Amino acid sequence: MKNIIAAGLFGLAMSVSGLAFAEPIKIGMITTLSGGGAGLGIDARDGFMLAIEKASNPEIEVVVEDDAQKPEIAVQLADKMIQSDKVDILTGIIWSNLAMAVVPSAVAQGKFYISVNAAPSQLAGAGCDPHYFSVSYQNDNLHEAAGAYATKAGYEKTFILAPNYPAGKDSLAGFKRFYKGEVVNELYTQLGQTDYAAEIAQIRASGADSVFFFLPGGMGIAFMKQYAQSGVDTPLIGPAFSFDQNILQAVGDAALGVKNTANWSKDIDNAANKEFVEAYKAKYGRLPSVYSAYGYDTANLILSAAGEASVSDADAFQKALEAADFDSVRGKFSFGPNHHPIQDIYVREVVKEGDILTNKIVDTALEDHQDAYAKDCKM
Amino acid sequence: MQTALLIEQTLNGLQFGVMLFLMAAGLTLIFGVMGLINLAHGSLYMVGAFACATVAAWTGSFWLGLVASLAAAAAAGAIVEITVIRRLYDRDHLDQVLATFALILVFSEGTRWLFGSFPLYLNIPPLLAGAVPIPGGAQYPLYRLAIIGVGILVAIGLYLLISRTRLGMRIRAGESDREMIGALGVDIRTLYTVVFALGAALAGLAGAMVGALQSVQVGMGEPVLILAFVVIVIGGIGSIKGALVGAILVGLIDTLGRFLLPAALAAFMGPSAAASIGAALASMLIYVFMALVLAIRPRGLFAAAG
């Protein structure tokens, strides 16, 4: 409490001198820090906090809480943060189902929600809101890029599979939106499935010349290892989620050479990215992942807006966020009319650097890409 | 090629079933002998996988990892039995469910504290890498055949242990009347610890073998646990034979259902709809089967006498 008062007084003093922000900002971060999906939340938090600490501004306060990947906990935390912590901005949610449970009511209460990862189509189209921003992407973006890449690479018969839940269905639809060849088979697996022998047998029998799969987290690890052991050698394409920095080490050499689509990679050549990768490695002793990068960009976006406008003046603050006047580690970055990014999406290849598996950009799948829902957004 | 695919899928179902058997055997043994519902059985599976991955990473040998997984899971099982489970035998099932659920949380967060949140790496041993030809012209991974082999060996071993040895005799006696064998001078406390450790070791073995196929991560035991419960309900609670038959049936029905249902539906609807509806129906199939079994034989296929 003392800190808050001190920060408040300091803020008051600064606003008089007009040097820093108009008033202190309180950010509530709800993210997944326990359970099977904790790796993603930890990376997003670490990236976010890295940027906050680098800014070292005493007027910014961040409250971090663990949602354990459960929608009901996320909703409780959001209520607590809005009502008793009195936060100005919410952020941090990794999973789309949790975002759907929290975001609509948070923005209805006048709070800003700035997403580090989850970006379901419902919030990008007709359900968009002036106070909702996604810094990461729209959920379909990476799958669309995979479809574009498969077309460009000359694949004609693709076998596609994803888990049987909303994001899985969106992913296959996204892929097909940009794929010109023939889909030889389309499969939905169970969410959380760990054995893919039955699916791999069908891939072997299908005569496909490529396989697109969206299997985030442990599902992707299981699939990749079993695929490598099966002796099937049809090339794999997937979004970055199954090829993220921390997942790759668990997959092992089975991932080598696989192409995946991402809007960030540690070898994107710009000063902000180099500085981010070095600082992250120095502070946490591991390479950043895409989630770390989204977290870092989100914090820098908030910092840039806070330097321009007071968060209590919602319209001005929204304008400052829309301007996206910060150095993104992704290089090109701007917001479309639905507050989702317009950005380049790359094709990466899994390579080995010394003992560590990592990704290298080999191509650009889509340039200045915007999502398919922006036209439905009226605000 | 279609025959080959069918043979391959049948083998997949068999391998899945054998893996479920290793989980379900321990679960049903513990429930049958001690009357205890152990939700933390999946955590012991996780312990086995983590022990195997860690030791394999240290020593470079999967086989040492496998030994370590048996030892670690058995030790974890014995410790848990002595410190926690022992106090629960005389309580009702609800208390047992609550306490063993708490154990899941303790194991999960403890594992995260020790190993971090990111999945570990465990590969199959070079000896079992690669694929072998199967009838019909396809290839089948050698490692999965090895899992089927291990499962059959464990099933035979358990059968001999329970029907032919002194320990097995005591286990069977404990199942029927625990006061009486206590009165006959058998150290029932030690017997229970041994049975619990044995069940834990089987779960650990399953975890280690499957860990090489999948991701070794916190929470990996819970989805398998649900299926293991389905298996023992179908097979008859407390019956090892029931666990074996139930596990193989569930493995085959699940694998073949996921493969055949979408294909069958595609004959009279669009591929997208068939994929989505087929997947949804296939995920229900084993539960429908369980309901059918329970409707015809309410105590399961091989219900223990009494």
Side-chain angles (χ1 to χ4, degrees), chain A residues 35 70, chain B residues 23 27 37-47 80 84-85 96-112 218-223 225-226 229:
Chain A
K70 294 196 168 68
Chain B
M23 281 292 282
L27 205 57
I37 295 182
N38 178 23
L39 289 188
H41 202 63
S43 299
L44 299 165
Y45 170 89
M46 177 179 76
V47 167
V80 161
V84 180
I85 304 285
Q96 297 171 353
V97 165
L98 205 60
T100 53
F101 182 73
L103 281 175
I104 295 183
L105 301 179
V106 171
F107 268 107
S108 290
E109 290 314 306
T111 309
R112 180 193 318 290
V218 173
M220 63 186 286
E222 275 82 75
L225 182 76
I226 296 169
F229 270 114

Side-chain angles (χ1 to χ4, degrees), chain B residues 91-164:
Chain B
R91 309 285 282 267
D92 65 22
H93 288 330
L94 210 56
D95 289 359
Q96 297 171 353
V97 165
L98 205 60
T100 53
F101 182 73
L103 281 175
I104 295 183
L105 301 179
V106 171
F107 268 107
S108 290
E109 290 314 306
T111 309
R112 180 193 318 290
W113 181 68
L114 279 173
F115 295 95
S117 298
F118 303 112
L120 294 192
Y121 173 72
L122 173 63
N123 213 350
I124 57 175
L127 185 65
L128 296 176
V132 290
I134 53 170
Q139 302 261 313
Y140 197 75
L142 186 58
Y143 187 71
R144 288 182 186 269
L145 283 180
I147 292 182
I148 298 178
V150 169
I152 292 171
L153 286 179
V154 168
I156 295 172
L158 272 181
Y159 169 76
L160 292 177
L161 176 80
I162 289 179
S163 65
R164 297 289 159 84

